[in-house]
Amino acid sequence: MSIALLEGKQNPIREKAPHSIGKEEKAAVLAVMEDGELSHFLGRSGEMFLGGKRVKELERQVREYFGVAHAVSFNSGSTALQAAVAALGIGPGDEVITSPFTMSATASAILLNNALPVFADISPDTYCIDPVSIEKNITPRTKAILAVNLFGASADYEKIKDIAQRHKLKIIEDNAQSIGAAYQGRYTGTIGDIGVCSFNFHKIIHSGEGGILVTNNDRYAFRAQLVRNHGEVVIDDLIAQGAYEPVVGSNYRLSELHAAIAIEQFKKLERIIHERRQAAEYLTHCLKKFSWIVPYELEHDNAGVYYVYPFRILSGEIGIQRKTLARAMEAEGFPVGEGYQKPLYLLPLYQREKMFLNSQYPFMSLDYGHGVKYSKGLCPVAESMYEKDLVITTIFQPPNTLSDIDEFISVIKKIEEYREELREYEKKTAH
Ligand SMILES: *Cc1c(COP(=O)(O)O)cnc(C)c1O
């Protein structure tokens, strides 16, 4: 036996791209093409304000699945998140507490409403926002908690809801990675005031691009519809009815083509989740044999759908750094991700506190007396995960099979066996 990294070899990369699009999606798209009506939205009040029959069918399907009163589709999860913040009436002078360990879209949704994201640290068990840290970050300006259901699992809503109730805060769930996951027997996305899912190509199910917002609140759903489709023009008719909703919208509409694909993908959701769960649980079972690895084990009431598979390495225990492990795995043909995302406040946007060319609004303005901090060291757990602890793999995702997982595990075993040699290699290559 030999180890590729130490021999200067590179084995072919063993990556099998997931591919869940089948004949059903193709037929659905063709049917839209034959209709010729690729979108049935119009930016004015009336029958076309809410889109066409596929958009409406998708929304019906999602309402039924989640058991919620409203589903509003969007052209992405990001635009749905932005609309969710707007739907709650959050704006300048407001703060929203969120996780820094997520895709940038989570926090940008807050900034795009001219409110400020306040970053709370994450829990080292779920990698989701830590309720203790949420509580420490509450100020008189805090209006909501935007919790992210990361990696296909759920944040700790028992504690988050308790905090929200005590401080009169709203809850938005960024459920982009966790469609179909359940927490204490309830679908994630339906636990907070508003939940958002994504149908982007990389998510559990997808339509290339797309997103959806779910809520039980009539007003939030209506405001989301206004944001989705140039809502300011609809207001004219509302004023005639004696009502006014302050809002400015845009074009965040989903096309009939994308809706048609999403409808078919949704029908496959349960099967896709089942396959992912089985494979991920097998991977957990295998990883448990290594004393220097912390597998991704969720509490029994947190039924994850495994967007990706995160695990931690205990460098002190194995005596090699994550970087060396990653180089060794890659050389064997099994690349892994190092650290997921850089904690968002370390991005130049937050470090420089600038989102416009000529203004530091909303970071610095009369609306924010005390200022919000984005300095390094703010969220030590998130920083440690990013810098040295966390490893991400997709080896459990179909079309990979259990035997691919076995091969992945045999590479990890090999790294364990060559730990002394890898330690020497690490010393030699350090500068
Ligand atoms: C993918 C993702 C989004 C954004 O969804 P898009 O559909 O890509 O815009 C937001 N939050 C998280 C956590 C995501 O993973």
Side-chain angles (χ1 to χ4, degrees):
M1 201 173 67
S2 64
I3 186 157
L5 180 67
L6 300 178
E7 297 187 339
K9 283 201 297 206
Q10 174 63 58
N11 288 319
I13 298 291
R14 294 276 304 265
E15 243 168 29
K16 297 182 188 168
H19 185 57
S20 61
I21 298 298
K23 58 181 190 311
E24 301 82 4
E25 287 83 356
K26 284 186 202 161
V29 168
L30 271 180
V32 181
M33 300 294 261
E34 272 152 26
D35 280 6
E37 199 164 10
L38 275 48
S39 174
H40 189 77
F41 272 109
L42 205 56
R44 68 165 79 127
S45 62
E47 184 260 324
M48 291 171 81
F49 180 65
L50 297 177
K53 62 180 185 219
R54 272 108 184 164
V55 159
K56 285 180 178 150
E57 168 59 17
L58 173 66
E59 292 173 349
R60 187 201 60 74
Q61 202 180 19
V62 170
R63 277 198 307 272
E64 199 163 278
Y65 178 85
F66 283 111
V68 291
H70 304 280
V72 185
S73 61
F74 282 83
N75 55 10
S76 76
S78 303
T79 49
L81 276 172
Q82 192 185 332
V85 176
L88 293 176
I90 289 168
D94 297 336
E95 294 173 359
V96 178
I97 298 176
T98 192
S99 166
F101 206 53
T102 175
M103 204 210 147
S104 67
T106 310
S108 301
I110 301 163
L111 270 182
L112 289 166
N113 283 284
N114 291 314
L116 284 186
V118 171
F119 295 105
D121 209 351
I122 57 168
S123 139
D125 302 321
T126 59
Y127 313 111
C128 293
I129 198 163
D130 176 3
V132 174
S133 184
I134 293 178
E135 193 126 31
K136 285 187 189 145
N137 279 289
I138 293 173
T139 77
R141 297 175 184 281
T142 310
K143 290 289 171 346
I145 300 163
L146 202 181
V148 182
N149 301 324
L150 203 69
F151 301 148
S154 174
D156 184 353
Y157 287 106
E158 194 169 307
K159 298 206 181 87
I160 293 172
K161 282 189 92 162
D162 174 60
I163 294 169
Q165 264 155 21
R166 280 189 284 112
H167 296 272
K168 298 197 166 50
L169 307 176
K170 300 293 179 207
I171 299 172
I172 302 173
E173 289 181 68
D174 179 342
N175 200 43
Q177 302 185 357
S178 298
I179 190 167
Y183 174 79
Q184 296 183 346
R186 275 179 77 177
Y187 281 124
T188 58
T190 67
I191 300 164
D193 296 277
I194 301 181
V196 167
C197 300
S198 164
F199 298 134
N200 144 334
F201 180 68
H202 304 282
K203 300 297 152 73
I204 307 271
I205 53 170
H206 77 91
S207 52
E209 304 287 354
I212 201 148
L213 175 158
V214 294
T215 182
N216 283 313
N217 182 295
D218 300 347
R219 174 138 192 255
Y220 301 158
F222 180 55
R223 287 186 58 81
Q225 288 165 344
L226 293 173
V227 172
R228 170 174 70 178
N229 190 11
H230 309 290
E232 62 279 5
V233 296
V234 177
I235 301 307
D236 257 353
D237 294 341
L238 286 182
I239 291 174
Q241 294 163 25
Y244 176 67
E245 251 334 281
V247 76
V248 58
S250 185
N251 175 351
Y252 296 155
R253 309 175 306 214
L254 191 67
S255 79
E256 287 289 281
L257 288 165
H258 292 89
I261 302 170
I263 288 167
E264 295 307 320
Q265 283 274 294
F266 213 82
K267 294 178 189 163
K268 301 179 177 178
L269 178 61
E270 286 306 310
R271 199 200 71 214
I272 290 173
I273 290 173
H274 179 72
E275 285 171 3
R276 281 184 178 240
R277 271 195 187 133
Q278 282 207 313
E281 280 163 14
Y282 179 67
L283 181 55
T284 298
H285 163 80
C286 298
L287 287 175
K288 272 186 178 174
K289 294 176 186 134
F290 301 93
S291 63
W292 51 280
I293 285 179
V294 184
Y296 189 47
E297 277 192 281
L298 298 168
E299 299 279 335
H300 74 280
D301 61 355
N302 195 344
V305 294
Y306 301 95
Y307 170 60
V308 293
Y309 190 101
F311 63 92
R312 262 185 290 152
I313 78 156
L314 304 171
S315 285
E317 177 108 12
I318 174 101
I320 59 169
Q321 292 167 16
R322 182 183 68 190
K323 190 172 59 185
T324 309
L325 171 105
R327 293 297 88 76
M329 304 254 353
E330 177 157 26
E332 299 293 332
F334 288 90
V336 291
E338 291 173 72
Y340 186 55
Q341 297 271 8
K342 181 189 265 193
L344 294 183
Y345 54 85
L346 297 176
L347 297 175
L349 167 65
Y350 298 100
Q351 288 296 302
R352 293 166 194 242
E353 302 199 3
K354 253 189 140 192
M355 68 184 238
F356 298 107
L357 272 178
N358 297 317
S359 162
Q360 275 195 284
Y361 193 82
F363 295 106
M364 289 194 186
S365 73
L366 294 176
D367 291 323
Y368 294 96
H370 68 100
V372 172
K373 294 279 170 295
Y374 298 115
S375 41
K376 179 136 175 59
L378 190 65
C379 300
V381 180
E383 288 183 24
S384 180
M385 292 304 155
Y386 168 67
E387 284 162 10
K388 59 189 183 55
D389 303 328
L390 199 72
V391 179
I392 304 274
T393 178
T394 54
I395 194 68
F396 69 98
Q397 292 177 3
N400 287 301
T401 61
L402 297 191
S403 84
D404 292 299
I405 296 179
D406 287 337
E407 283 186 57
F408 178 85
I409 293 295
S410 70
V411 171
I412 295 186
K413 265 199 198 113
K414 205 193 274 192
I415 289 170
E416 189 177 64
E417 276 158 31
Y418 280 86
R419 61 211 283 174
E420 297 293 341
E421 290 87 343
L422 286 168
R423 240 173 260 164
E424 286 305 309
Y425 167 89
E426 205 169 72
K427 270 188 222 143
K428 267 187 273 162
T429 53
H431 14 230

